[in-house]
Amino acid sequence: SLKAHSLLQHFQELGHGEAFCESLLRAYFLEARDIGDDSVLLSLSADFGGVVDISVIVSRYASMIEASQGDATAANIGGVPFYIINSKYGLGGAQSPQAFLQAFEVASKNKE
């Protein structure tokens, strides 16, 4: 959701992005919580210093997030996870460690 992505960006700038992302993923995938719901997002945010007003955070980051989504659509990225290596190579879906190793090897051989 735009709200969840906005909060993620907010906490990234505060140095808590990775931990907040883990919290979002746990809430959504393991706890089946609605990460588009303000009360859920406020609850998750409390562990990272809280958020006074979600709408302020969303308005701050909305255009950046929407542009990023447009870039993903233009690159035919339609799902997650999707990994971009060296801004050139894409690897979509759940992949084996061997697939990542191969992608890293190709990318390292083809540096510009």
Side-chain angles (χ1 to χ4, degrees), residues 19-72:
F20 185 72
C21 184
E22 287 290 326
S23 181
L24 280 172
L25 293 172
R26 183 176 45 257
Y28 183 76
F29 288 109
L30 299 178
E31 300 167 3
R33 296 172 73 187
D34 179 1
I35 60 169
D37 180 84
D38 286 6
S39 64
V40 171
L41 292 171
L42 289 171
S43 172
L44 296 173
S45 297
D47 293 337
F48 304 96
V51 171
V52 175
D53 190 337
I54 290 176
S55 63
V56 170
I57 301 296
V58 169
S59 67
R60 184 179 302 153
Y61 299 106
S63 62
M64 180 191 69
I65 292 166
E66 289 167 351
S68 178
Q69 290 171 335
D71 292 344

Side-chain angles (χ1 to χ4, degrees), residues 48-112:
F48 304 96
V51 171
V52 175
D53 190 337
I54 290 176
S55 63
V56 170
I57 301 296
V58 169
S59 67
R60 184 179 302 153
Y61 299 106
S63 62
M64 180 191 69
I65 292 166
E66 289 167 351
S68 178
Q69 290 171 335
D71 292 344
T73 300
N76 293 319
I77 299 170
V80 292
F82 194 91
Y83 305 91
I84 300 173
I85 303 165
N86 286 352
S87 301
K88 187 174 181 180
Y89 300 98
L91 192 60
Q95 298 288 331
S96 69
Q98 187 61 32
F100 279 101
L101 180 60
Q102 183 178 10
F104 292 140
E105 287 172 351
V106 168
S108 69
K109 290 178 184 175
N110 296 310
K111 289 182 182 178
E112 292 186 65

